[in-house]
Every structure is written in structure tokens, then in C-alpha cells.
Amino acid sequence: MTKLKVLSGMQPSGQLTLGNYIGALRNYVKLQHTHECYFMVVDMHAVTVPQEPAALKEQSESVAALYLAAGIDPKAATVFLQSTVPAHAELGWLMTTLTYMGELERMTQFKDKSAGKESVGAGLFTYPSLMAADIMLYNADLVPVGDDQKQHLELTRDLAQRFNGRYGDTFTIPKGYIPEVGARIMSLDDASKKMSKSNPNAGSYIALLDPPDVIRKKISRAVTDSGREVKYDPANKPEVSNLISIYSAVTDKSVADIEAMYDGQGYGPFKKELAEAVVALIEPLQQSYRDIRESGELHRILKEGQQKASELAERTLRDVKSKMGFVVL
Ligand code: AMP
Ligand code: TRP
């Protein structure tokens, strides 16, 4: 039986966070041996907001190395940089021509990222059409992402259907692969906002490369309500509930078990043990990250990924162009 295809990506627009890991990256690792997987660093998406060139380069390599450090095996999955496969930009353009202004205007990520800004790049607006192209180039069946990407995925499905309707059956209609617990990890300083690597307050997120003592400090300072009960109640205790979700995702313990473990004990022991559980998860990952960066193997792995991804992407693009009426030579 042929394996189902999986594609996903993360922006190198800052340091990956525990939210990225719990919401998406650990599912990449989980799916790699049972599916045909493509995992990319979406550097072309990152430049939809200004990036400093040296930082973009460093972060792109860092994200790729973190994929591997988290357990992605480049022999099992194809790991590459989006910008090294030009078919993304090309199909991205074609998808932009298929997308309606109204669809893009409804995207909440665009509304959030453009709110209050004086000048907003056009690429930030057309960003979801490029994301649709990313997924469609590989005819991915499953797309492991966090909750915030649901709307973009819905648009991808609509565009795939629209193309198929106009030009004949071509694209698979992809589905999201979204975790039950941890699809939306919130900021440590404000549980109404999602944990994000682009938050200017570093205390609001746990970066996968934060030293263990910084992680301990950030968790001990995480905002909690004035009560003392470790109880999962997102409406009334959003901060504690967020910490419980992190605990559950990191240890695989159920929410009910965690509540029972800390019954009557207050937040102190809960936060301490949560910090240790996060450190236990992250320390080996950091060691493996350092090994990968020092090995000098990263560019070779990304080059191989580029070649494998290009083959499939180019094939899809030729088919699409021919169906749309371009002269294919
Ligand atoms: P980004 O950092 O926006 O490139 O996101 C990369 C992946 O991580 C996407 O699949 C997101 O949905 C996921 N993700 C980002 N932030 C979070 C979060 N706070 N909680 C859960 N998943 C997240
Ligand atoms: N938009 C996604 C995010 O911000 C990143 C992304 C770009 C992506 N292309 C993708 C995710 C294709 C999954 C599949 O997180």
C-alpha cells in the first residue's frame, strides 16, 4: 500500500518555542515512519515581515537543525528549505490568481499581524495562497499543524477543490493533523495570547534552546490566578489550564491524573515539577542540536532534501501549468 503523504513547515522568524514543539513538531516526528513526509523551513513565508538577513540565515539553519534534533530522521523524511525549491514561488503565484480578495481579507492571522501597522507588505496578505501551494505541490494528505493554522488549511482545501473543478481532478484535498491536547499553547504572561516566538517579551515563551535555568525561571514566573487549586478550567483559570496542558503534553499524563497528583498542594510543587518535566524533554534535544550544528552535515542534508522535494514539486507544477493552458516545452 502506498503511504499517505504529509507536509508541514515552520517559519524561521525567531527561535522555535515549546508551542511549536507541542502543537506541530512532535507530530512530525510521530508521523515520519508511517507516512511519506516532507518537512520544510518556510523561509519565503518568513520574509512576509521584514527579516534581518544574517538573522534569517541563522534562524533557517537553526530551525532545520531543531527538526533533526527533535528526532526527524533525514533518511525517513525529506527536510528542506522552501526557497531552494522554486516551484513553491511559482505555484504560489498561480494560487494567488485563484484566490479571492475576500477570502484573504477574512484570514485572522493577517488581521492580527497587520493590525495597527502603517505599512503592511502585500506578501503578508497573499501568504495563505503560498501556503496552499506548499501543500498542493506534494499532494499532501495530512498537514500536522497547531490550531492557529486551521483557517489557512480550510482555504487550501477550497483552492484545491476550485482548481480541480476548473481544470480537472489534480489535487488531493488535504486534512489537518491537529493534537487533542496542546494545539494552542498560550503565553506564560498572558493566557489570552498564543505562545509566539515573535513576542518581544522573552518571558512569554519557552524557546527550545533556552538554557534549563532560564526555563525554570520562566515557569516559576508564569502568571497564575490568585487561587491555589490545580484545576483544568480554561474559562475561569486560563493560566493554570495552559500550564496543565503543557504538563500533559510533555509527560503524556492525562489532565485528570495531573489534577489528582496536585490535589490540595497549591501551585508551588506543580510548577516546580512542570519545569523539571520540560527540562527533561528539552535537554537531550539541545545536546543533539549542538551535535548537529557542529557536525557540519546540515547543508548536505538540506541539499539532498532539496533534490528529493524538487522532483515531486516540479512534476506537479508541470502538470498544473499544462492543465491551465501554459505552453509546456
Ligand atoms: P509558526 O511559528 O507560526 O511558523 O508555526 C509553526 C507551527 O507551530 C504551526 O503548525 C503552528 O500552528 C504551530 N504553533 C505555533 N505556535 C503554537 C502554539 N502556541 N501552540 C501550538 N502550536 C503552535
Ligand atoms: N503558515 C504556517 C505557520 O505560520 C507555516 C506554513 C507555511 C505551513 N506553509 C505551510 C504549515 C505548509 C503547514 C503546511 O505556522
Side-chain angles (χ1 to χ4, degrees):
M1 220 179 74
T2 55
K3 288 180 179 171
L4 289 181
K5 285 195 223 147
V6 168
L7 174 128
S8 197
M10 302 201 183
Q11 300 184 69
S13 49
Q15 289 218 2
L16 291 193
T17 70
L18 191 61
N20 293 128
Y21 181 81
I22 295 173
L25 185 51
R26 66 185 185 136
N27 277 338
Y28 295 8
V29 179
K30 186 171 134 190
L31 291 166
Q32 66 179 334
H33 294 297
T34 45
H35 293 69
E36 180 180 329
C37 290
Y38 297 84
F39 298 124
M40 55 179 183
V41 178
V42 291
D43 46 5
M44 305 266 281
H45 275 101
V47 297
T48 56
V49 299
Q51 300 290 339
E52 207 271 302
L56 179 66
K57 185 160 180 283
E58 166 55 27
Q59 282 157 10
S60 297
E61 292 180 347
S62 171
V63 171
L66 278 169
Y67 283 0
L68 303 175
I72 291 172
D73 174 359
K75 290 198 189 72
T78 304
V79 178
F80 66 104
L81 304 164
Q82 185 187 30
S83 64
T84 63
V85 180
H88 287 263
E90 226 179 313
L91 188 65
W93 172 254
L94 298 176
M95 285 303 136
T96 304
T97 67
L98 211 68
T99 314
Y100 304 129
M101 295 286 285
E103 289 175 315
L104 296 173
E105 278 159 4
R106 281 196 292 277
M107 293 292 133
T108 57
Q109 184 168 304
F110 173 73
K111 288 191 218 169
D112 291 347
K113 286 197 177 179
S114 60
K117 298 245 162 63
E118 234 175 66
S119 46
V120 174
L124 193 63
F125 188 62
T126 58
Y127 174 117
S129 307
L130 177 60
M131 174 163 163
D134 294 341
I135 297 167
M136 289 152 83
L137 274 178
Y138 303 88
N139 275 302
D141 299 279
L142 287 182
V143 183
V145 284
D147 191 68
D148 62 336
Q149 296 303 313
K150 273 188 184 160
Q151 201 186 21
H152 289 159
L153 271 182
E154 246 346 281
L155 178 66
T156 303
R157 293 164 57 85
D158 289 345
L159 290 175
Q161 261 150 354
R162 190 168 305 155
F163 188 98
N164 290 352
R166 278 194 204 168
Y167 302 107
D169 209 20
T170 307
F171 291 120
T172 304
I173 312 300
K175 288 198 185 71
Y177 187 87
I178 298 171
E180 262 169 49
V181 178
R184 194 174 174 79
I185 300 296
M186 308 312 281
S187 283
L188 300 181
D189 63 341
D190 176 355
S192 70
K193 289 199 226 133
K194 74 162 190 167
M195 183 181 282
S196 163
K197 53 172 125 75
S198 48
N199 190 319
N201 173 16
S204 71
Y205 59 79
I206 293 171
L208 294 178
L209 295 174
D210 274 343
D213 274 342
V214 171
I215 294 174
R216 292 187 180 99
K217 209 171 282 164
K218 285 182 177 179
I219 292 179
S220 84
R221 288 185 188 158
V223 174
T224 42
D225 59 85
S226 55
R228 58 187 307 279
E229 250 188 304
V230 178
K231 197 167 178 338
Y232 188 79
D233 178 359
N236 300 307
K237 293 168 79 78
E239 295 89 3
V240 175
S241 303
N242 184 42
L243 295 179
I244 295 176
S245 297
I246 296 176
Y247 201 129
S248 170
V250 165
T251 61
D252 276 333
K253 288 193 167 68
S254 72
V255 168
D257 282 352
I258 296 166
E259 287 176 343
M261 276 166 67
Y262 296 101
D263 188 28
Q265 293 193 48
Y267 298 147
F270 164 69
K271 277 181 148 188
K272 252 206 181 81
E273 284 164 34
L274 168 61
E276 291 317 314
V278 172
V279 167
L281 172 87
I282 281 184
E283 257 185 335
L285 187 148
Q286 293 185 348
Q287 184 54 50
S288 160
Y289 174 83
R290 284 189 288 270
D291 294 345
I292 290 157
R293 296 290 315 243
E294 278 162 25
S295 75
E297 289 288 286
L298 195 60
H299 281 204
R300 184 189 57 75
I301 291 170
L302 291 172
K303 184 96 199 152
E304 273 177 28
Q306 174 198 19
Q307 281 158 356
K308 271 199 260 171
S310 295
E311 265 175 47
L312 185 48
E314 286 296 332
R315 211 183 314 143
T316 308
L317 187 62
R318 280 178 79 84
D319 180 35
V320 166
K321 285 170 85 173
S322 150
K323 282 185 172 142
M324 287 180 78
F326 289 96
V327 177
V328 176
L329 301 174

